[in-house]
Amino acid sequence: ITVLGEDLSLKEAIRFGIEKSDYVTAVSASLASQTGEMVGPNKEINVVYNFVDEEIYRKVDASHLREEFGISPEEKTIIHVSNFRPVKRIQDVVLAYKKIQEEIPSKLLLVGDGPEMPRIMDLVEKEGLKSKVLFLGNQDNLEELYSISDLLMLTSEKESFGLVLLEAMACGVPCIGTKVGGIPEVISDGDTGYLVELGNIEEIAEKAMKLLKDDKLHQSFAKMAEREAKEKFSADKIVGVYEDIYYQILEMEEKIC
């Protein structure tokens, strides 16, 4: 056990922890690079992506929720899931949705809770969207909500990976995300969703409407999203990578002993 002194800075503590580890992983190349630049450790940081549990996150029949939420058959459903912190820029989701709903009958599901909730609720009321935006709070069965959704939007200004993107994709939901952090490593731009510039409300709305207005395009993106989630980010694949890492460490220890 190593006890770090109080006079040790956070940067030094992170470097110390990394350099004293046998093997270091990060959930995205972006995070690995950012950590390397910030801390400058004398240790390689290896990328091992997050994974999705396909037994949980898969397309299910949750049509009863549409009726429960008052979503009519002709309406599209857009979803955002987060911890409602300022870094998630949920206001961008709401403002983009305002443009979308002017052309496409739809509902916006905001899932989660956090410090930004009061501000976002005020914004929704100010923009006259109260009857179209559903605040669902924290939910346990996210796969059901993804399964009734046509599109997920994640407009964060910082994101090490973006696990909600992967969860939605596994349920066959195309995604729109910002070109920041690890998001571009999850969304294949033009195949499983679209990448947009941070804070560009017009672009977010434009890309969303492009998908929501074209059923054939949407179906193609949905199938590709589900396939990529299972092939690139499956639990079996990623857990297998970690198992290999553990065996490598054990072999190294045996050689030292």
Side-chain angles (χ1 to χ4, degrees):
I1 299 173
T2 302
V3 180
L4 304 178
E6 291 182 3
D7 60 336
L8 202 63
S9 71
L10 177 60
K11 182 176 177 181
E12 290 171 329
I14 294 172
R15 185 191 299 117
F16 184 89
I18 290 174
E19 293 183 349
K20 290 299 180 181
S21 298
D22 293 307
Y23 199 97
V24 183
T25 68
V27 295
S28 67
S30 171
L31 181 59
S33 175
Q34 182 184 3
T35 304
E37 291 174 4
M38 180 182 75
V39 179
N42 186 26
K43 190 91 173 185
E44 182 181 3
I45 301 176
N46 303 274
V47 178
V48 181
Y49 288 126
N50 277 326
F51 62 85
V52 64
D53 187 341
E54 308 101 306
E55 292 187 9
I56 296 176
Y57 293 100
R58 56 188 175 83
K59 191 83 170 178
V60 297
D61 182 7
S63 53
H64 64 282
L65 289 180
R66 291 183 65 90
E67 184 177 350
E68 183 180 324
F69 295 152
I71 304 172
S72 60
E74 69 274 9
E75 286 183 310
K76 301 293 185 181
T77 307
I78 301 165
I79 188 170
H80 168 84
V81 181
S82 75
N83 53 16
F84 279 67
R85 292 183 295 131
V87 71
K88 300 296 182 179
R89 292 183 66 98
I90 306 167
Q91 70 273 14
D92 291 355
V93 173
V94 173
L95 294 176
Y97 173 68
K98 182 182 180 183
K99 294 180 179 295
I100 294 166
Q101 58 85 37
E102 290 171 355
E103 296 191 31
I104 301 173
S106 55
K107 288 285 197 309
L108 172 62
L109 310 182
L110 294 180
V111 184
D113 199 359
E116 283 287 276
M117 179 66 78
R119 190 165 82 92
I120 298 304
M121 292 181 78
D122 288 345
L123 177 63
V124 166
E125 186 162 5
K126 176 187 172 185
E127 298 296 338
L129 300 171
K130 201 170 180 180
S131 65
K132 297 176 179 291
V133 178
L134 284 70
F135 289 90
L136 302 182
N138 292 318
Q139 296 285 323
D140 292 325
N141 300 320
L142 282 173
E143 71 279 4
E144 294 187 348
L145 294 175
Y146 292 136
S147 293
I148 65 167
S149 300
D150 299 290
L151 181 69
L152 179 135
M153 295 199 295
L154 188 66
T155 54
S156 308
E157 62 185 51
K158 289 183 181 179
E159 200 74 55
S160 61
F161 182 80
L163 187 57
V164 295
L165 297 168
L166 186 51
E167 294 171 350
M169 285 167 55
C171 296
V173 184
C175 300
I176 290 179
T178 42
K179 298 176 182 177
V180 301
I183 292 177
E185 296 174 58
V186 183
I187 297 176
S188 295
D189 191 30
D191 288 318
T192 65
Y194 289 117
L195 295 170
V196 296
E197 295 296 334
L198 177 64
N200 192 328
I201 307 301
E202 292 286 345
E203 185 183 16
I204 298 168
E206 177 190 336
K207 292 293 175 65
M209 287 189 282
K210 181 177 181 179
L211 266 173
L212 296 174
K213 286 181 176 181
D214 189 332
D215 290 341
K216 187 175 180 181
L217 181 66
H218 184 276
Q219 187 178 28
S220 172
F221 273 50
K223 286 182 178 179
M224 186 64 73
E226 187 174 1
R227 183 189 308 163
E228 187 149 319
K230 291 178 179 179
E231 291 180 357
K232 187 177 179 181
F233 302 101
S234 71
D236 285 345
K237 180 175 181 177
I238 304 301
V239 170
V241 172
Y242 276 112
E243 287 177 342
D244 289 343
I245 291 171
Y246 291 138
Y247 285 128
Q248 287 177 40
I249 294 171
L250 286 173
E251 287 177 8
M252 288 166 55
E253 292 294 328
E254 288 175 358
K255 288 178 181 178
I256 293 173
C257 294

